[in-house]
């Protein structure tokens, strides 16, 4: 009798605990209508559009009997997941039906990491601490208080960092082998790590926008993001599917306005290109910005006069010319037609000017390579040909349909 009573209590407790966990299954169809196949195609599901009555704390994505790695991201800092991100391979002219199980129950499931993001700051006795973000008044010079001068992030192919100052430059990190390594090198490899084939800072960005950073525009030259009331840089996500870092400025005094702006940089696994989003808290008027690629030494550039810019060249990546060699690098930026105004250049960059009247968001794409990659591009001609193919891929996204 006692055994039966105990068993009944245990079963009731299990039912009670299970009842507290909500679950929702959605069916999602991915269509690739393009004539070419797509590898590691980013798919993002906006959870806020699903009308859920619970907070999603775990998700499992199924393609038939195959589980696809996915990632839940809190995009606005309220500790609740806003987006589900995954990567799929899509053959030409194909579709896939995915089954996604969303749950309010936490999960300790882990997928292989394909991206990583890192931000660190100096503490007592110059000890380093991992941080998720750092904020300071716009008048403060905190460039050297944050390790590697801002957040660093990577995929298996490339790495980047964002300068924590008025430049807000996108500075690249080159790799020899496909792997994640910034956790070990912290963007500054030791002599032993360099000898062992680790990557390194790849470029002197000087006063430029580096790899596709959004800049102000005075009609002739790009402008840094200043003056601002406050500047914040932070890590939003660190793998396994994608890494996301942000730069936020408050009250940027620009072209007669005070702009609150977030520059969001998203890097997916298997990708060398970054999705760049500039987000504003109010609709834009006719403010003009600029973005493009840095003019590189000992090199050349390309344009298709239809949104695509590329550059290729060779320079010392850092001031130390004893333990470092010159790097040959390439970069590219694609500005979609909806936001681009005019192709131009200044003393440091090949550019497009950008406007988005009535919009609160700007999206474009930028990318990078180094010739020392064992898996990459070995010449300017090959790199420029890749950029043209890359643009075609961006112009043919897969269609995502959620079946209600």
């Amino acid at each position: 009798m006692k055994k039966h009573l105990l068993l009944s209590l245990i079963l009731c407790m299990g039912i009670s605990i299970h009842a507290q966990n909500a679950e929702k299954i959605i069916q999602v169809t991915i269509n690739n209508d393009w004539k070419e196949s797509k590898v590691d195609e980013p798919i993002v599901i906006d959870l806020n559009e699903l009308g859920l009555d619970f907070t999603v704390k775990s998700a499992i994505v199924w393609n038939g009997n195959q589980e696809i790695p996915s990632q839940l991201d809190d995009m606005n800092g309220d500790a609740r997941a806003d987006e589900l991100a995954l990567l799929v391979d899509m053959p030409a002219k194909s579709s896939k039906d995915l089954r996604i199980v969303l749950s309010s129950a936490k999960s300790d499931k882990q997928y292989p990491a394909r991206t990583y993001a890192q931000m660190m700051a100096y503490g007592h006795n110059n000890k380093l601490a991992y941080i998720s973000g750092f904020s300071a008044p716009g008048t403060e010079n905190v460039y050297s208080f944050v390790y590697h001068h801002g957040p660093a992030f990577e995929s298996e192919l490339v790495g980047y960092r964002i300068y924590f100052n008025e430049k807000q430059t996108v500075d690249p990190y080159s790799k020899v082998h496909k792997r994640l390594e910034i956790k070990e090198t912290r963007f500054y490899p030791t002599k032993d790590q360099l000898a062992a084939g680790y990557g390194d800072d790849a470029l002197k960005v000087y006063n430029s926008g580096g790899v596709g950073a959004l800049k102000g525009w005075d009609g002739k030259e790009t402008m840094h993001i200043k003056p601002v009331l406050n500047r914040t840089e932070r890590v939003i996500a660190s793998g396994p599917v994608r890494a996301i870092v942000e730069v936020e400025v408050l009250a940027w005094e620009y072209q007669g306005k005070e702009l609150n702006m977030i520059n969001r940089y998203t890097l997916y696994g298997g990708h060398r290109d970054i999705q760049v989003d500039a987000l504003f808290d109010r609709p834009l008027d006719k403010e003009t910005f600029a973005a493009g690629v840095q003019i590189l030494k000992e090199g050349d550039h390309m344009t298709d006069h239809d949104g695509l810019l590329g550059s290729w060249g060779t320079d010392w990546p850092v001031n130390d010319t004893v333990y470092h060699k010159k790097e040959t690098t390439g970069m590219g930026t694609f500005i979609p037609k909806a936001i681009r105004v005019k192709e131009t250049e200044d003393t440091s960059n090949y550019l497009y000017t950008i406007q988005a009247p009535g919009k609160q968001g700007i999206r474009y794409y930028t990318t990078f390579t180094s010739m020392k990659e064992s898996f990459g591009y070995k010449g300017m001609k090959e790199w420029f040909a890749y950029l043209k193919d890359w643009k075609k891929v961006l112009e043919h996204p897969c269609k995502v349909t959620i079946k209600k």
Side-chain angles (χ1 to χ4, degrees), residues 249-260:
V249 294
L250 298 179
W252 175 23
E253 297 176 20
Y254 183 64
Q255 295 186 354
K257 304 288 179 61
E258 284 192 350
L259 302 180
N260 293 337

Side-chain angles (χ1 to χ4, degrees), residues 65-83:
N65 295 323
Q66 177 191 11
E67 184 176 352
I68 297 177
S70 62
Q71 174 178 324
L72 290 167
D73 291 323
D74 169 21
M75 306 301 290
N76 59 8
D78 65 356
R80 293 179 174 87
D82 299 294
E83 293 183 354

Side-chain angles (χ1 to χ4, degrees), residues 358-378:
K359 304 295 185 182
Q360 289 184 239
I362 291 169
R363 175 173 291 180
Y364 63 94
Y365 304 86
T366 191
T367 191
F368 160 81
T369 189
S370 168
M371 204 167 73
K372 76 180 182 184
E373 295 169 354
S374 60
F375 51 86
Y377 305 90
K378 298 307 177 184

Side-chain angles (χ1 to χ4, degrees), residues 164-189:
F164 199 125
N165 60 14
E166 68 277 4
K167 293 181 180 181
Q168 297 186 188
T169 312
V170 181
D171 188 29
Y173 176 102
S174 61
K175 299 189 179 185
V176 179
H177 306 290
K178 283 186 181 181
R179 61 186 178 189
L180 301 182
E181 58 183 56
I182 287 179
K183 189 173 184 179
E184 287 77 33
T185 66
R186 296 178 175 178
F187 215 90
Y188 301 124

Side-chain angles (χ1 to χ4, degrees), residues 135-141 165-166 225-231 250:
S135 183
T139 53
E140 287 292 329
N141 181 8
N165 60 14
E166 68 277 4
I225 312 300
K226 68 173 186 179
V228 301
L229 179 65
N230 199 80
R231 196 183 315 271
L250 298 179

Side-chain angles (χ1 to χ4, degrees), residues 19 50-51 70 81 106 144 148 150-151 184 222 328:
L50 299 180
S70 62
K106 292 183 179 180
S144 296
H148 41 61
E184 287 77 33
T222 53
T328 298

Side-chain angles (χ1 to χ4, degrees), residues 81-214:
D82 299 294
E83 293 183 354
L84 174 69
L86 56 137
L87 296 166
V88 294
D89 294 340
M90 297 294 298
K93 297 289 185 178
S94 70
S95 66
K96 288 184 179 180
D97 292 316
L98 306 183
R99 177 174 173 266
I100 302 178
V101 182
L102 304 172
S103 174
S104 64
K106 292 183 179 180
S107 172
D108 57 2
K109 180 184 289 289
Q110 293 185 343
Y111 298 109
R114 301 188 64 188
T115 67
Y116 174 72
Q118 176 189 84
M119 194 168 183
M120 309 180 78
Y122 289 101
H124 184 61
N125 292 329
N126 278 333
K127 289 185 178 180
L128 285 167
Y130 288 95
I131 60 174
S132 57
F134 193 89
S135 183
T139 53
E140 287 292 329
N141 181 8
V142 295
Y143 174 79
S144 296
F145 282 71
V146 181
Y147 197 68
H148 41 61
H149 306 303
F153 57 112
E154 64 174 332
S155 68
E156 311 100 315
L157 283 69
V158 292
Y160 301 92
R161 63 175 169 179
I162 312 297
Y163 280 175
F164 199 125
N165 60 14
E166 68 277 4
K167 293 181 180 181
Q168 297 186 188
T169 312
V170 181
D171 188 29
Y173 176 102
S174 61
K175 299 189 179 185
V176 179
H177 306 290
K178 283 186 181 181
R179 61 186 178 189
L180 301 182
E181 58 183 56
I182 287 179
K183 189 173 184 179
E184 287 77 33
T185 66
R186 296 178 175 178
F187 215 90
Y188 301 124
T190 64
K191 298 174 188 176
D192 290 341
Q193 286 174 328
L194 286 173
Y198 280 80
D200 196 8
D201 186 356
L203 181 69
K204 274 187 180 179
V205 295
Y206 299 101
N207 213 32
S208 75
V211 187
L214 186 75

Side-chain angles (χ1 to χ4, degrees), residues 291-292 303-310 332-337 340 343 351-352 364-365 390-391 395:
T303 174
D304 69 350
H305 304 296
D306 192 27
L308 181 65
L309 296 169
T333 295
F334 172 59
I335 309 295
K337 183 177 181 179
R340 69 176 182 259
E343 184 176 340
L351 301 160
Y352 274 98
Y364 63 94
Y365 304 86
W390 170 62
K391 176 186 173 182
E395 290 182 321

